[in-house]
Amino acid sequence: MQVELSPEQKNIRKQIEEKLDVIMHFLNLTREERQKQSYEKIEKVYAEMGMAAHKLHMTLDPKPKLQRETVRLRGMKPEHPEFYHHIRPVEELLNYLDDTHANDEPVDQTLGETFYLDVFTRKWGHLDRYTLLRNEEGWLIKHMSQSEQGGRDAEPILSYVLRHDHVSYPRNLSSIMEDIWYRAADEGLSRDEVQGMLKEVSEWISMTEQNYPSHIALNKNKQKGFFS
């Protein structure tokens, strides 16, 4: 549904679109062409666009719906005077005026779904399956008789079960697991898309485990010391 604007609001929108066109034209220039332009002038256009967008935002009731990620990236609330001093929120504002559902968030499709990490372990000499249930809290990790709730980064449980099986894993595994959780929520990823990402993680862990330099490690069954 399109937002009904008053004549004054339509005039402000026109100003915003004109400023945005100037900025987009500038950004589409080559680096050499941009260097010939006045950066002070384009910064002024940014400021004028931001002020006009802020003014329009504040006159609208209800307030425009913007994407959570945009608000997060701006690091301030949409009502802040400098919020619209950026192309992305301005484009979302204009899209909202044309369609109030334009910035609706994708639906999180995979809460409650079960996923798998098939990881090679030197302990067993083959792929071992770890079951992950994605929920509001994060990842519920199941492996053999263990079943524990981890956070959205799958910690501290995932690293614990991997260490329990003496599996070597990448240091920033938890960061990737957290990224997958949030991408699934923010982008409305399908189950197949999430499982595809976890398959890549499985291969990443397996590669780390397979490249463990066991030929260097001491034999733990032998006594260690100067006179062994």
Side-chain angles (χ1 to χ4, degrees), residues 94-160:
L94 295 174
N95 291 338
Y96 172 83
L97 296 177
D98 290 333
D99 178 6
T100 55
H101 294 291
N103 300 322
D104 287 355
E105 301 289 345
V107 176
D108 191 337
Q109 302 184 55
T110 57
L111 284 178
E113 291 280 358
T114 297
F115 301 93
Y116 304 102
L117 285 176
D118 292 322
V119 177
F120 175 83
T121 64
R122 290 174 294 113
K123 179 179 180 180
W124 304 115
H126 56 69
L127 294 177
D128 199 19
R129 172 159 287 189
Y130 299 81
T131 302
L132 289 73
L133 174 70
R134 183 172 175 271
N135 55 30
E136 284 283 1
E137 291 75 27
W139 303 94
L140 178 69
I141 314 294
K142 300 179 181 179
H143 181 59
M144 299 179 72
S145 61
Q146 295 175 313
S147 179
E148 296 287 345
Q149 178 66 50
R152 293 177 179 180
D153 60 357
E155 293 305 324
I157 309 305
L158 183 55
S159 61
Y160 171 80

Side-chain angles (χ1 to χ4, degrees), residues 116-120 127 130 132 139 153-155 158 162 167-170 172-181 193-209:
Y116 304 102
L117 285 176
D118 292 322
V119 177
F120 175 83
L127 294 177
Y130 299 81
L132 289 73
W139 303 94
D153 60 357
E155 293 305 324
L158 183 55
L162 289 173
V167 175
S168 297
Y169 56 90
N172 46 352
L173 173 61
S174 61
S175 177
I176 287 295
M177 293 300 297
E178 186 173 38
D179 287 346
I180 293 174
W181 196 99
E193 288 173 317
V194 175
Q195 183 59 63
M197 291 179 177
L198 291 172
K199 182 176 183 295
E200 290 188 56
V201 172
S202 298
E203 293 169 351
W204 185 34
I205 299 172
S206 296
M207 186 181 301
T208 304
E209 169 72 347

Side-chain angles (χ1 to χ4, degrees), residues 10-22:
K10 288 180 180 178
N11 184 50
I12 298 173
R13 173 177 181 161
K14 184 179 179 182
Q15 294 175 35
I16 296 169
E17 291 174 330
E18 289 173 350
K19 303 298 181 184
L20 182 60
D21 285 344
V22 172

Side-chain angles (χ1 to χ4, degrees), residues 213-228:
S214 55
H215 61 287
I216 296 175
L218 285 166
N219 187 332
K220 298 299 188 292
N221 294 322
K222 293 183 179 180
Q223 184 181 355
K224 293 177 289 185
F226 290 108
F227 304 101
S228 59

Side-chain angles (χ1 to χ4, degrees), residues 15-68:
Q15 294 175 35
I16 296 169
E17 291 174 330
E18 289 173 350
K19 303 298 181 184
L20 182 60
D21 285 344
V22 172
I23 293 170
M24 295 306 296
H25 174 73
F26 175 80
L27 294 177
N28 286 326
L29 296 175
T30 65
R31 185 171 65 176
E32 291 74 19
E33 290 172 330
R34 288 199 298 269
Q35 288 174 342
K36 296 176 183 178
Q37 303 287 323
S38 170
Y39 279 90
E40 289 183 4
K41 179 181 177 180
I42 201 68
E43 287 173 1
K44 182 181 178 183
V45 176
Y46 262 107
E48 291 170 345
M49 179 186 71
M51 287 188 289
H54 172 71
K55 182 177 181 180
L56 180 56
H57 176 100
M58 298 305 291
T59 65
L60 294 171
D61 187 22
K63 293 291 181 282
K65 182 189 295 182
L66 304 172
Q67 292 192 343
R68 289 192 302 267

